[in-house]
Amino acid sequence: MFKTKSIVFLSLFLLLTSFGFSAAALTQPQSTVSVEYEHRMIEGPNSIHIARFMPGEGRIVMAKAREYSLGRETVSTISARENAVFGMNAGFFEMRGPLAGSPTEVLKIRDKWYGVPDLPRAALGWKEDGTAFLLDRLKMDWKAVVGDREMTVDKVNSSRDADKLVLFTPAFNPTTLTEAVGLEVIVEDGRITAVRTEGDSAIPVNGLVLSFGPEAAGKAASPQPGTPVEVSYVFRPLNPEYAGDREWKEMDYLVGGAGMLVWNGEVVGDYLVEELEKQGRAFDTTLHPRTAVGIDGQGQWIFVVVDGRQPEKSVGISLQDLARLMASLGCRYAINFDGGGSSAMYLHGKILNSPSDRPGMERMMSGGPGAGGPGGGRQGMGGPGGSRPGGNRPGMERPAADGPGVERAVSDALLILE
């Protein structure tokens, strides 16, 4: 069972010290979708943006930046393109290197796989109408059967280490961006069509690529064109008694975070199972801008962005206090999403919060939106530098001066559509 902490103190603190405005049922003209928005200012100072949505009138979806290639876009851009009523940043992603924009946790949009978790990280899954959802710490096992030979798939749509087998799906990018070492098996319509050693293979829209690092190439056992290939996967949730492989496979959307905040109405105080300590830099205790989503006992979705790194306006919040905040808002389940400069909340055509990035930081961190897309360079054998939780370089996420910030380009966004 998860360890819990008392939520009473912060809940009372928020109720007694919060102020601001509450504009209930903010409905865009000619829109059938109602999203309630509230802004709270509390001692710290901290600026908290809260949106509530009851499924039924609209659809809750995930949208990927640059759907079929690597790259990033702002929440505003993604939301406007999809004609969304509401939008919010969601999953973590690589911010630099040839795989910039690639999700670092699970990301599935309908039948397209963009990312798969390496660690048992918090994940949220749901049906498109928002009435069925799942949350848990989630891992997956993938395997490929080539002819009569079964092999473990080590990673999906990720950097390729020398001794690993990586599966690349068409949703990743037009090509694998791998170096000219190892072996790549091209599969179309369930059968091998080519075997290449040149690297950076084209990924067929009706197939996949099995990419073997140079030390893993022996696993391929001389594959021949025409050989049948089957790929399968199994979900390994931390709490299978709550929902198992079958239930997770029924979800239309999956997105991963880092830090389960509230489980069955109780604040989660133990992040060891998610191995957040590997990220360093006190990811859970440092005050940061944060993004979270929760669901209450009536099935209402609660979206939260806490501004930060702006000392005169909003200092940010720790992961533990974010969990207590979500519980105080009535969440029965809640998950932490990407934060920092990525935190953004969009409603009816505008960003509601104050992003923490300063002008020019986008270039410092990644070479600009879309860096690492087609033609952006190949991945080295060790993989790119990470931008997982706490993975940014020291100084990149420095506190921002107060004043208008700029939106950071992200890899995906959670949207509400009509």
Side-chain angles (χ1 to χ4, degrees), residues 369-412:
R378 300 183 180 183
Q379 53 175 298
M381 297 310 301
S387 57
R388 299 167 181 266
N392 297 320
R393 297 172 187 168
M396 290 298 190
E397 295 278 16
R398 62 186 182 276
D402 289 291
V406 295
E407 272 193 88
R408 174 180 295 176
V410 297
S411 75
D412 53 69

Side-chain angles (χ1 to χ4, degrees), residues 272-286:
L272 292 177
V273 68
E274 297 189 48
E275 302 184 45
L276 295 187
E277 75 281 359
K278 288 188 175 180
Q279 308 308 331
R281 299 184 62 204
F283 170 73
D284 57 337
T285 58
T286 303

Side-chain angles (χ1 to χ4, degrees), residues 310-333:
Q310 300 167 73
E312 299 301 319
K313 181 183 296 183
S314 191
V315 296
I317 194 170
S318 70
L319 204 60
Q320 295 95 328
D321 282 347
L322 179 64
R324 298 184 183 106
L325 169 62
M326 299 303 287
S328 77
L329 294 173
C331 295
R332 189 166 181 81
Y333 298 92

